[in-house]
Amino acid sequence: MAQGLGKLPPQAVDLEEAVLGALMLEKDALTTVIDILKPESFYKEQHKTVYEAIVALFNNSEPVDMLTVTNQLRKTGKLEFVGGAFFISELTSKVNSAANIEFHARIISEQAIKRELIRIATEIQQDAFEDTTDVFTLLDKTEQALFEVSESNIRKNYADMSSIMREAILELEAKKLQKNGLTGVPSGLTALDRVTSGWQKSDLIIIAARPAMGKTAFVLSILRNAAVDFGHGAAIFSLEMSSVQLVNRLISAEAELESEKIKKGTLADYEWEQLIHKTNKLHKAPIFIDDTPALSILELRAKCRRLKAQHDIQIIIIDYLQLMSGDTSKGAGNREQEIASISRALKNIAKELNVPVIALSQLSRAVETRGGDKRPQLSDLRESGSIEQDADMVAFLYRPEYYGITEDENGMPTSGTAEVIIAKHRNGSVDTVTLKFISKYTKFTDLDGMNSFATNYGSSFPTEGGISSFDSQSMAITLPSKANNPGAGEVPGSKGDAPF
């Protein structure tokens, strides 16, 4: 098409010759440009073939000069194709040194990017004229092609073992400097971060629970902690609630004002002052909310790419998975197949953007019909077993008090507590973490008060002559008076019924 308009594709043939000549003059020149230039960066096929021979010599730890390159081309049977030994000697006469080789290499790379953009634009134009082409598939294809071009300067298609090992060692050194043990995006919940070491890059995390367990409140808590306390860009795609409703929940949790008061607007003057004062950090947080209903996986992928490119988001949250629609261009299938394609696509987004993707999921009613404590399990994931397969981590939210269970197996009160049951953890251990759930503020926090008390007294609270009442919301524990129980020991500094 470009030639039909009387134009040549972008090229820099003279610089290609100069770069190839410099590579054969100085043995260390290739290390400067090997991350910049790929064989397809060269416009002329002969130049591409010569560069491939140079790279092959480099990979074999052999010297690179005019004679070795000529011999390498002869061994592969491509010497005559490039123009013979005379052509190779001509290249070395085009330049005197490798002084400006990096600058020249970047110009060659830029011309290659322009040619790639022309190729993509031509294909898009051809596909757009086709009536059989699905427009949303075309949009996704265009976004993906442009994203790959923009990433091509910093991402290689493959890596050898030595470079991966270097990267792994550098990562380990960086982790060693992390005194808190966090290697991913922190949730801000100490007990949970201790198990996960933070939400890891490229992981797909499924948070599943029955309705009214607090799934949205949980992800809003970790979203707020990641963005406000640690400054990580965070995006949430809410298919169930509007953006204003989500922000109202964030305000309620941040300012510690009852969600009912915020919903009705019945705030006293001092509560308004409290709201304005406490939400100052929230106002400046790098949080991005999208409340598009019935969001398709194609739209999600496109929006995530833009957010990553423009705002460098570090975590993506979807609320929730079953409300999404799959790729309709691939023909109608049953709902299970559609959910399977969505979960695979979410894992691909996590890998492509190298960020953790947290997706909420509903559980089937089998939980309710089951006897006992009704703790969820992996088989309860609704509509598709592929969710379990694709996820790097599956965690269930469970609040015993919802089912009228007032004490756990250790005799501990369950009021105001929630369990995060990590049932699958591809890169770590499975465990159960207990958190504090404050329903009036719709927020999850650390169970620090209870944890510290359990640390002092063991896995369960003292019962014999010990606790007369326990308030899980304020974490206040009241001990009985010694006067009422002469044989009981007295807590130092307490008189009568005193909160501990």
Side-chain angles (χ1 to χ4, degrees), residues 405-420:
I405 301 171
T406 57
E407 289 185 349
D408 64 12
E409 55 272 15
N410 295 320
M412 300 269 290
T414 60
S415 176
T417 65
E419 293 180 10
V420 180

Side-chain angles (χ1 to χ4, degrees), residues 4-15:
L5 295 173
K7 294 180 180 178
L8 282 172
Q11 56 186 287
V13 175
D14 53 341
L15 291 180

Side-chain angles (χ1 to χ4, degrees), residues 306-324:
R306 282 196 290 271
L307 283 167
K308 179 65 176 176
Q310 295 172 8
H311 303 287
D312 192 27
I313 55 170
Q314 298 298 310
I315 186 170
I316 296 168
I317 296 171
I318 294 102
D319 181 14
Y320 60 92
L321 189 147
Q322 279 82 8
L323 290 179
M324 293 189 68

Side-chain angles (χ1 to χ4, degrees), residues 88-386:
I88 304 300
S89 64
E90 280 288 298
L91 288 175
T92 57
S93 67
K94 301 283 185 181
V95 66
N96 293 322
S97 73
N100 300 315
I101 190 170
E102 185 177 354
F103 181 73
H104 294 161
R106 294 200 180 277
I107 294 175
I108 294 169
S109 178
E110 288 169 9
Q111 301 305 311
I113 291 172
K114 289 179 183 178
R115 291 197 300 273
E116 184 67 9
L117 289 173
I118 290 171
R119 183 191 65 77
I120 292 169
T122 304
E123 287 184 2
I124 293 167
Q125 187 180 35
Q126 290 172 350
D127 291 341
F129 275 110
E130 291 289 337
D131 292 334
T132 56
T133 304
D134 181 82
V135 66
F136 297 107
T137 303
L138 180 58
L139 279 172
D140 181 61
K141 179 182 174 183
T142 304
E143 286 258 2
Q144 185 172 2
L146 291 174
F147 185 80
E148 286 173 357
V149 170
S150 66
E151 293 287 293
S152 62
N153 282 335
I154 57 174
R155 186 193 294 178
K156 293 183 288 185
N157 293 327
Y158 62 90
D160 57 27
M161 191 60 185
S162 62
S163 60
I164 298 172
M165 280 292 292
R166 276 197 302 273
E167 187 178 341
I169 295 299
L170 287 173
E171 266 192 30
L172 284 173
E173 288 175 351
K175 290 174 183 177
K176 183 182 177 183
L177 298 175
Q178 292 284 348
K179 301 300 181 185
N180 53 15
L182 288 175
T183 58
V185 177
S187 69
L189 302 168
T190 309
L192 184 59
D193 283 337
R194 194 175 293 125
V195 177
T196 64
S197 298
W199 311 116
Q200 301 298 312
K201 292 179 179 179
S202 78
D203 273 7
L204 172 61
I205 300 111
I206 300 295
I207 307 292
R210 289 293 294 154
M213 285 291 168
K215 294 188 298 295
T216 303
F218 177 74
V219 292
L220 283 179
S221 294
I222 62 179
L223 174 87
R224 179 263 167 210
N225 294 342
V228 175
D229 292 340
F230 298 93
H232 293 296
I236 180 167
F237 294 86
S238 176
L239 290 83
E240 189 174 36
M241 300 173 66
S242 72
S243 55
V244 173
Q245 287 175 318
L246 285 180
V247 170
N248 282 341
R249 281 200 174 197
L250 285 168
I251 290 171
S252 171
E254 187 73 8
E256 296 192 337
L257 296 169
E258 291 183 28
S259 54
E260 281 295 316
K261 286 188 174 183
I262 289 179
K263 185 167 67 176
K264 296 174 182 177
T266 55
L267 297 176
D269 289 343
Y270 77 91
E271 288 174 323
W272 277 107
E273 291 178 12
Q274 180 178 330
L275 185 152
I276 293 167
H277 175 69
K278 288 196 172 184
T279 58
N280 188 41
K281 286 184 179 178
L282 190 65
H283 178 74
K284 300 173 183 177
I287 296 174
F288 305 92
I289 300 175
D290 188 307
D291 60 358
T292 305
L295 187 68
S296 73
I297 197 66
L298 296 178
E299 291 176 292
L300 175 70
R301 190 185 291 122
K303 289 178 176 183
C304 287
R305 284 177 187 140
R306 282 196 290 271
L307 283 167
K308 179 65 176 176
Q310 295 172 8
H311 303 287
D312 192 27
I313 55 170
Q314 298 298 310
I315 186 170
I316 296 168
I317 296 171
I318 294 102
D319 181 14
Y320 60 92
L321 189 147
Q322 279 82 8
L323 290 179
M324 293 189 68
S325 58
D327 186 356
T328 54
S329 65
K330 295 181 180 177
N334 60 37
R335 182 61 179 164
E336 185 174 337
Q337 291 172 332
E338 189 176 8
I339 292 293
S341 70
I342 291 171
S343 69
R344 279 193 297 272
L346 291 178
K347 175 59 182 174
N348 290 337
I349 290 171
K351 285 189 69 178
E352 181 182 334
L353 302 182
N354 198 31
V355 298
V357 172
I358 299 176
L360 301 188
S361 177
Q362 292 282 24
L363 291 177
S364 66
R365 290 189 180 92
V367 178
E368 311 294 336
T369 58
R370 197 163 50 236
D373 56 14
K374 302 184 187 298
R375 275 186 169 82
Q377 53 197 33
L378 287 172
S379 59
D380 296 325
L381 284 169
R382 186 174 161 189
E383 291 181 316
S384 179
S386 66

